[in-house]
Amino acid sequence: MKKALITGITGQDGSYLAELLLENGYEVYGLMRRTSTSSVERIKHILDKINIIKGDIGDTSSLFDVIKTIEPDEVYHLAAMSFVPQSWVEPISTGNITGLGVARILEAIRKSDLNIKFYQAASSEMFGQVQEVPQTEKTPFYPRSPYGVAKVYAYWLTVNYRESYGMFTCNGILFNHESPRRGYEFVTRKISSAAARIKLGLQKELRLGNLDAKRDWGYAGDYVKAMWMMLNHSKPDDYVVCTGETHSVSEFVEEAFKCAGIKDWQNYVKTDPQLLRPAEVNLLIGDHTKARENLGWKPEVDFKQLVKMMVEADLESEKRNL
């Protein structure tokens, strides 16, 4: 039986990935920090099937201990300070966890002398002020946030360890991916939740930042399959994972309100200058040709299906709480 370690197992991607690995017969370990309050909401339905191990991405010795204890076949490094606007508030912490955290875990794997495959959760935010459209594995990076900068460091470190030490390390350059398990601080979940709450008379308006920003939005459940396929391919490499379609924030709002049965979404949405980023990323759209040709991966859930899935889940959740 293969053993896999997932950092960030309590997050959106971690929960979907844990389910996928369990379905494929893995023994799954999840790294969690020792905190007074830990949210396991997304994985509570599989807690009895996985192994939680305590450790900290910010602490080198704990990562050495974790690797030595588990001796995993695969490590999926998803843990990061992943909310981009917060990286402007905490740039030092973002660099320490999102950037240097990868150095710590790669060193723990390298010094273990075990044949461990490593997946790094890279991000389309690395492209930032895009240098070409669409973005591919060869597009130059131009990050526009401390988060994006930290991810670029982590990306190149992952490449360096592969080329310098012959390690099986992969970067998945994932474009925005959402689901009903997305955190409420993210714009897509903020929108789907607001659509549900406005429909039920629980909320009067929705405040957003840049309505014109365009993103390539996919379904998290599809994207974790790409992670697994990368580590089970014959050779390590880096891949863009996306849908190849772009939609504006206003399009997401329009579709969400339509799914909730609300006409004239403009009557409920207010633009809030405080929600604008210091440096905006205006357009992200990827090309997943390499993942399709090398891994046989392609997205299965389209934009409208994704929005419908999220709004319906939020409507159901809000009704239960009434």
Side-chain angles (χ1 to χ4, degrees):
M1 183 185 285
K2 277 189 184 176
K3 287 186 280 189
L5 170 65
I6 304 172
T7 72
I9 196 167
T10 59
Q12 169 189 256
D13 293 8
S15 65
Y16 282 112
L17 179 60
E19 288 172 348
L20 176 70
L21 295 176
L22 287 170
E23 284 168 18
N24 283 280
Y26 282 68
E27 189 176 340
V28 177
Y29 291 80
L31 184 75
M32 280 179 65
R33 275 184 306 159
R34 277 193 179 83
T35 52
S36 52
T37 57
S38 59
S39 172
V40 293
E41 185 64 28
R42 295 183 183 95
I43 56 168
K44 65 181 182 184
H45 62 296
I46 52 170
L47 267 178
D48 60 334
K49 298 174 185 170
I50 60 178
N51 309 283
I52 297 298
I53 189 160
K54 298 298 181 183
D56 191 340
I57 297 302
D59 184 83
T60 306
S61 62
S62 80
L63 294 176
F64 276 90
D65 290 344
V66 165
I67 296 297
K68 191 177 169 185
T69 301
I70 300 172
E71 296 191 347
D73 297 285
E74 298 168 8
V75 172
Y76 294 86
H77 183 50
L78 312 183
M81 293 184 64
S82 61
F83 186 48
V84 177
Q86 191 63 24
S87 75
W88 290 104
V89 181
E90 301 178 55
I92 311 300
S93 295
T94 298
N96 184 34
I97 299 303
T98 305
L100 286 173
V102 177
R104 294 185 190 103
I105 201 157
L106 281 169
E107 271 297 275
I109 291 170
R110 182 176 75 85
K111 291 185 174 174
S112 72
D113 284 329
L114 298 168
N115 190 21
I116 298 170
K117 295 181 176 182
F118 175 78
Y119 171 84
Q120 162 58 13
S123 167
S124 60
E125 287 286 331
M126 300 188 303
F127 296 123
Q129 187 167 310
V130 299
Q131 302 300 289
E132 64 179 3
V133 178
Q135 293 88 57
T136 72
E137 292 81 5
K138 303 214 178 288
T139 303
F141 300 136
Y142 194 142
R144 299 271 281 172
S145 66
Y147 171 81
V149 172
K151 283 289 189 182
V152 169
Y153 171 85
Y155 172 92
W156 283 118
L157 203 65
T158 301
V159 172
N160 271 242
Y161 271 66
R162 179 169 73 228
E163 295 177 349
S164 303
Y165 302 118
M167 291 167 61
F168 197 113
T169 63
C170 300
N171 281 293
I173 308 172
L174 271 58
F175 279 65
N176 295 63
H177 46 290
E178 319 299 321
S179 75
R181 298 181 193 174
R182 193 50 140 161
Y184 286 99
E185 69 272 25
F186 291 87
V187 68
T188 50
R189 188 69 191 283
K190 190 176 178 183
I191 293 166
S192 65
S193 171
R197 290 177 60 80
I198 289 168
K199 174 67 176 176
L200 298 171
L202 300 170
Q203 190 172 321
K204 287 188 167 58
E205 67 175 24
L206 168 61
R207 302 183 82 81
L208 294 170
N210 183 7
L211 289 170
D212 297 322
K214 291 185 172 181
R215 295 290 184 271
D216 183 327
W217 277 301
Y219 172 51
D222 285 344
Y223 286 27
V224 298
K225 289 178 190 168
M227 301 176 187
W228 176 66
M229 287 170 145
M230 283 177 218
L231 292 201
N232 285 276
H233 191 54
S234 56
K235 70 183 184 72
D237 209 341
D238 310 312
Y239 294 92
V240 162
V241 179
C242 62
T243 68
E245 288 182 18
T246 191
H247 298 273
S248 66
V249 173
S250 60
E251 280 180 79
F252 199 108
V253 176
E254 183 179 8
E255 190 61 33
F257 276 62
K258 194 199 299 182
C259 289
I262 303 169
K263 292 177 183 175
D264 304 322
W265 62 268
Q266 294 94 334
N267 296 339
Y268 302 93
V269 176
K270 303 281 188 295
T271 302
D272 187 343
Q274 288 188 317
L275 296 174
L276 296 172
R277 295 184 188 181
E280 184 56 86
V281 173
N282 292 310
L283 170 66
L284 290 173
I285 177 168
D287 179 347
H288 59 76
T289 301
K290 184 177 173 181
R292 187 178 69 246
E293 292 179 351
N294 290 14
L295 305 176
W297 179 88
K298 65 178 190 296
E300 292 170 25
V301 175
D302 68 22
F303 177 72
K304 289 189 175 183
Q305 289 171 320
L306 173 65
V307 178
K308 185 170 185 276
M309 180 195 300
M310 292 179 70
V311 173
E312 286 180 350
D314 278 327
L315 275 167
E316 196 179 307
S317 172
E318 293 295 346
K319 284 174 185 172
R320 274 201 308 269
N321 294 332
L322 284 175

